[in-house]
C-alpha cells in the first residue's frame, strides 16, 4: 500500500476494532464459564444468539452505510457485522478445539497472503483492496468454524431469556475486551484523530507494530491452549510452567526480530519503510511483561473473576492514554511506542504480582526449572523427536 495508505488503513482498522468489540457486547466471553458449569445445550444456545446478532447488525450496518457521508464510517458499518461474528466463532473454537482454531488461523492467513500477492501484481493500490482482504479472513473464519461444529442452528429460535441472563456477564466482558483493544489501538486512534499525525508516519508505526507482534506468537500460543485447559480447572502448574517456557522462547523470538528486523523490512515492505524499525525495537521491550498478562488472564477469565481482570487492565489503559497525551506531541510515532511499552509493563507486572501473591508462588518459579520439570521437558522433547523420526522414515 505504501506508508500513506497503510496509515489510512491503520486508522480505519483501529476504529473498526473498537466498534466490533462494542457491538459484540462480550457475549462470547461467558462461554467457557457456562461450559465449565455444565449448562445444557450450551453450544447451540450461544450460536443462535451470535447468528441473530449478525442478522441485526447487518441490517443496521447497511442503513448506517447509506446514511453516513464518510468513507471511513461506511467501511466500518459494512465490515463490523462479519467481524463481530468471526471474533465470536474464533473464540468458541479456541475453547472447543484449539488445534482446529489454529488450522482456521493458518488457512485465513495463507489465503490472505495469496490474494495479496495476486492483488499486488494485478490491481491498483487502493484502500478498497486492503479492506477486502480483511473481509476474506473473517469469512474464512466463519465458514470453517461452522463447518467444524457441523451445525447451523436457527437464529430465530435464540433463547432471549438466556441472552438476558448472560448480558450482565457479557457487558463486563465487553468493557474488558474494549479496554484490551484500546490498550493496543488507542495510540493509532490518538495519532490519527486527536493529534492529526500524517498518515505516512502512522503507516511507519503500523508496520513497526506488525513486526513487533511476531513476538506475541509464543505467548499467544500458550494463551490459546490454556483457554481450553482452564475451562476445566485452574491448572496452576500448567500456567506457571507456560510462563517459564514462554519467557525463554520469547527471548529467542525477540533476538530474532532485533537481528532480522531491517532485512525483513527491506524484503517485505521496501526501503521506504525502514523508519519503522526504531518503532519495532521500542515495542519489543513490552513483549515479555505483556505475555504475563496474556497467560494469567486466561485463568482469571475462566474463573469468572471479571472485576479483578478489568480493574488491573483498566489501570494499564489509563496509563497508556496519559502517556500518549504526553509523548505523542513530543516524539510522534516514537512517543506512541514509548507509551505502549509503559502500559504493557504496568499490565504485565500487575497481573504477575497478583498471581504470585494469590497462589503463594515464589518469583523464582516463573524463571527457574526444577529438576523434575527439566526431566519432564526432556521426556516430551524426546517423544517429539521420536515421532518426527518415525514420520521421516515413513
Amino acid at each position: 500500500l505504501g506508508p500513506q495508505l497503510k496509515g489510512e488503513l491503520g486508522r480505519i482498522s483501529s476504529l473498526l476494532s473498537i466498534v466490533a468489540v462494542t457491538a459484540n457486547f462480550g457475549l462470547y466471553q461467558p462461554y467457557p464459564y457456562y461450559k465449565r458449569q455444565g449448562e445444557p445445550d450450551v453450544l447451540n444456545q450461544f450460536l443462535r444468539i451470535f447468528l441473530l446478532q449478525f442478522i441485526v447488525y447487518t441490517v443496521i450496518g447497511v442503513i448506517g452505510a447509506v446514511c453516513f457521508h464518510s468513507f471511513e464510517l461506511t467501511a466500518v458499518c459494512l465490515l463490523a457485522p462479519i467481524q463481530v461474528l468471526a471474533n465470536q466463532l474464533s473464540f468458541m473454537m479456541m475453547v472447543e478445539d484449539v488445534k482446529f482454531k489454529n488450522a482456521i488461523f493458518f488457512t485465513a492467513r495463507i489465503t490472505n497472503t495469496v490474494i495479496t500477492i495476486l492483488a499486488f501484481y494485478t490491481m491498483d493500490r487502493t484502500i478498497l483492496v486492503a479492506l477486502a482482504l480483511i473481509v476474506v479472513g473473517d469469512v474464512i473464519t466463519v465458514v470453517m468454524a461452522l463447518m467444524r461444529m457441523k451445525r447451523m442452528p436457527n437464529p430465530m429460535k435464540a433463547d432471549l431469556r438466556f441472552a438476558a441472563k448472560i448480558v450482565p456477564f457479557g457487558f463486563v466482558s465487553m468493557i474488558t475486551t474494549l479496554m484490551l483493544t484500546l490498550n493496543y489501538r488507542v495510540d493509532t486512534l490518538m495519532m490519527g484523530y486527536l493529534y492529526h499525525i500524517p498518515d505516512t508516519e502512522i503507516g511507519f508505526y503500523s508496520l513497526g507494530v506488525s513486526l513487533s507482534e511476531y513476538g506475541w506468537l509464543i505467548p499467544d500460543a500458550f494463551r490459546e491452549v490454556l483457554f481450553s485447559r482452564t475451562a476445566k480447572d485452574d491448572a496452576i502448574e500448567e500456567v506457571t510452567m507456560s510462563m517459564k517456557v514462554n519467557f525463554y522462547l520469547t527471548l529467542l523470538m525477540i533476538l530474532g526480530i532485533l537481528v532480522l528486523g531491517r532485512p525483513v523490512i527491506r524484503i517485505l515492505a521496501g526501503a521506504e519503510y525502514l523508519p519503522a524499525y526504531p518503532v519495532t525495537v521500542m515495542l519489543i521491550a513490552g513483549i515479555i511483561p505483556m505475555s504475563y498478562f496474556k497467560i494469567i488472564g486466561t485463568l482469571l477469565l475462566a474463573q469468572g473473576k471479571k472485576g479483578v481482570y478489568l480493574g488491573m487492565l483498566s489501570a494499564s489503559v489509563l496509563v497508556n492514554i496519559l502517556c500518549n497525551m504526553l509523548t505523542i506531541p513530543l516524539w510522534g510515532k516514537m512517543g506512541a511506542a514509548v507509551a505502549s511499552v509503559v502500559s504493557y509493563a504496568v499490565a504485565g507486572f500487575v497481573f504477575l504480582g497478583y498471581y504470585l501473591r494469590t497462589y503463594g508462588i515464589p518469583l523464582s518459579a516463573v524463571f527457574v526449572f526444577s529438576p523434575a520439570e527439566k526431566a519432564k521437558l526432556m521426556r516430551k522433547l524426546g517423544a517429539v523427536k521420536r515421532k518426527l523420526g518415525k514420520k521421516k522414515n515413513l
Side-chain angles (χ1 to χ4, degrees):
L1 290 176
Q4 183 173 351
L5 284 177
K6 187 172 181 62
E8 184 180 351
L9 177 64
R11 287 191 290 108
I12 295 175
S13 61
S14 294
L15 184 60
L16 175 62
S17 297
I18 300 301
V19 171
V21 167
T22 305
N24 207 327
F25 283 108
L27 295 185
Y28 64 86
Q29 290 280 7
Y31 180 69
Y33 175 77
Y34 280 97
K35 179 180 175 66
R36 187 172 177 178
Q37 299 300 314
E39 179 75 23
D41 197 28
V42 64
L43 181 58
N44 282 327
Q45 289 200 68
F46 275 87
L47 278 177
R48 292 189 191 101
I49 294 171
F50 297 159
L51 293 173
L52 181 61
Q53 275 185 289
F54 174 71
I55 293 172
V56 172
Y57 289 158
T58 299
V59 173
I60 295 174
V62 171
I63 295 173
V66 173
C67 295
F68 290 125
H69 300 288
S70 164
F71 174 79
E72 294 184 9
L73 293 179
T74 297
V76 170
C77 287
L78 296 177
L79 295 179
I82 188 66
Q83 186 158 111
V84 168
L85 183 60
N87 291 342
Q88 291 169 332
L89 297 183
S90 179
F91 184 88
M92 293 185 76
M93 287 308 305
M94 186 161 56
V95 176
E96 290 292 322
D97 189 343
V98 68
K99 290 183 178 179
F100 192 78
K101 194 271 181 185
N102 291 333
I104 293 175
F105 172 84
F106 280 113
T107 302
R109 289 304 176 94
I110 291 171
T111 304
N112 184 286
T113 301
V114 171
I115 295 176
T116 300
I117 294 172
L118 293 174
F120 180 79
Y121 287 106
T122 62
M123 303 180 72
D124 293 332
R125 298 183 185 184
T126 67
I127 198 68
L128 287 175
V129 174
L131 292 173
L133 292 173
I134 296 178
V135 175
V136 169
D138 289 338
V139 170
I140 289 175
T141 299
V142 169
V143 172
M144 290 187 66
L146 290 176
M147 289 178 63
R148 181 64 173 179
M149 295 176 188
K150 298 180 180 178
R151 62 192 75 199
M152 178 68 77
N154 186 352
M156 298 304 145
K157 294 183 179 180
D159 188 344
L160 298 183
R161 288 179 298 180
F162 180 73
K165 178 182 176 182
I166 65 174
V167 161
F169 195 119
F171 182 78
V172 175
S173 299
M174 182 269 286
I175 298 298
T176 301
T177 308
L178 181 60
M179 291 295 104
L180 179 60
T181 306
L182 283 172
N183 214 22
Y184 294 130
R185 302 285 190 170
V186 71
D187 42 15
T188 302
L189 291 172
M190 292 179 71
M191 281 193 293
Y193 295 108
L194 185 60
Y195 295 105
H196 305 291
I197 300 296
D199 284 339
T200 300
E201 289 292 289
I202 297 177
F204 292 143
Y205 183 80
S206 297
L207 182 65
V209 171
S210 298
L211 289 176
S212 68
E213 285 178 349
Y214 284 104
W216 302 122
L217 291 176
I218 303 300
D220 279 345
F222 283 109
R223 172 180 174 269
E224 294 187 6
V225 172
L226 287 172
F227 256 120
S228 178
R229 183 67 182 85
T230 55
K232 302 171 185 176
D233 56 59
D234 288 348
I236 300 302
E237 290 185 6
E238 286 87 344
V239 172
T240 304
M241 175 63 84
S242 295
M243 284 192 283
K244 268 187 286 204
V245 177
N246 167 79
F247 176 75
Y248 294 104
L249 291 181
T250 301
L251 282 180
L252 292 177
M253 179 70 74
I254 289 173
L255 180 61
I257 295 173
L258 289 174
V259 173
L260 301 175
R262 287 185 183 276
V264 167
I265 291 175
R266 285 183 178 275
I267 293 170
L268 297 183
E272 62 180 336
Y273 273 104
L274 284 176
Y277 181 72
V279 175
T280 303
V281 173
M282 176 60 67
L283 289 172
I284 280 176
I287 291 177
I288 288 181
M290 197 61 172
S291 68
Y292 297 132
F293 158 76
K294 286 175 172 284
I295 292 174
I296 296 170
T298 61
L299 177 62
L300 295 178
L301 291 174
Q303 291 175 335
K305 294 181 178 179
K306 303 294 182 181
V308 175
Y309 185 95
L310 177 59
M312 293 190 292
L313 179 58
S314 297
S316 173
V317 175
L318 181 61
V319 169
N320 198 341
I321 293 173
L322 293 176
C323 283
N324 273 304
M325 292 174 66
L326 295 173
T327 58
I328 290 178
L330 291 175
W331 305 313
K333 64 180 184 296
M334 287 304 298
V338 170
S340 294
V341 171
V342 173
S343 69
Y344 293 168
V346 170
F349 293 130
V350 167
F351 270 75
L352 179 61
Y354 173 85
Y355 178 78
L356 297 178
R357 184 176 65 255
T358 300
Y359 296 100
I361 298 173
L363 180 60
S364 60
V366 181
F367 303 101
V368 181
F369 291 98
S370 68
E373 289 171 336
K374 291 179 182 177
K376 184 178 180 180
L377 281 176
M378 294 304 296
R379 287 195 300 269
K380 287 187 176 182
L381 290 174
V384 170
K385 185 177 180 180
R386 288 192 296 272
K387 185 176 181 180
L388 291 175
K390 290 180 181 179
K391 288 184 177 181
K392 184 177 180 179
N393 292 332
L394 291 175

